[in-house]
Amino acid sequence: MENDLFNIKWDNTRVRQMSPLTLAFIGDAVYETFVRTYLVNKYRNMQVHNLHVEAIKFVKAHSQSEIIKKLEKKLSNEELYFFKRGRNAKSATTPKNADVQEYRFATGFEALVGFLYLTGEVDRLNFLFESIIMLKNKGEF
């Protein structure tokens, strides 16, 4: 069914034709959902404001930039391709709370997440998300 968006899987050719900023748009939402779900699971009784404060630590450009720098060596050639497309994309917006390099790396990270999500690479997304949790627990971002 075309409207079954939770079970969508696009082929690589179709995803390669997408703008890297569109991939980042999707990846941002997927990553935000992962972070929020993780935090609600970990801190079941935490107030929403405090959950939001914790989520910011994961999703701000600086954190995403640090995350992708640490995970870059674990990426396949195809994953690196999508990360670099996102990193090198010319955005019409300018970062408010990050420098341009951090913002670009964060955009690349989000494009990678968007690619993995749209192509149905759930196991790979889970691997990356678990790696991110380990990095956070070690205090590496």
Side-chain angles (χ1 to χ4, degrees):
M1 172 181 233
E2 190 171 310
N3 292 322
D4 187 6
L5 297 178
F6 290 107
N7 293 310
I8 196 166
K9 184 175 179 182
W10 296 0
D11 63 41
N12 285 10
T13 303
R14 185 173 178 193
V15 176
R16 281 181 180 273
Q17 294 171 348
M18 294 179 78
S19 157
L21 296 177
T22 301
L23 291 173
F25 173 76
I26 293 289
D28 176 59
V30 171
Y31 183 61
E32 178 85 24
T33 302
F34 156 73
V35 168
R36 288 178 180 216
T37 304
Y38 166 75
L39 291 173
V40 166
N41 186 52
K42 184 174 180 179
Y43 304 110
R44 289 183 170 89
N45 297 316
M46 186 180 276
Q47 293 180 344
V48 173
H49 172 74
N50 295 335
L51 287 168
H52 176 71
V53 169
E54 287 299 312
I56 289 170
K57 295 175 185 175
F58 282 85
V59 300
K60 63 185 178 180
H62 174 75
S63 295
Q64 290 181 357
S65 175
E66 291 300 310
I67 288 166
I68 194 63
K69 288 175 185 174
K70 289 180 175 31
L71 296 179
E72 198 170 354
K73 291 182 176 126
K74 297 180 180 184
L75 301 180
S76 69
N77 287 336
E78 185 172 46
E79 292 166 345
L80 274 172
Y81 169 79
F82 283 97
F83 159 68
K84 289 178 181 179
R85 279 188 66 206
R87 182 195 64 195
N88 296 336
K90 303 292 185 227
S91 176
T93 60
T94 57
K96 288 184 267 182
N97 299 316
D99 68 36
V100 173
Q101 183 180 5
E102 285 179 337
Y103 187 74
R104 287 185 164 207
F105 271 72
T107 302
F109 170 76
E110 291 171 348
L112 169 62
V113 172
F115 157 71
L116 292 172
Y117 172 75
L118 289 176
T119 56
E121 296 292 334
V122 176
D123 290 340
R124 194 62 179 155
L125 276 173
N126 282 327
F127 169 78
L128 292 177
F129 291 159
E130 287 173 9
S131 298
I132 291 166
I133 297 305
M134 286 192 297
L135 290 171
K136 181 66 174 159
N137 290 339
K138 291 180 184 177
E140 294 193 27
F141 71 88

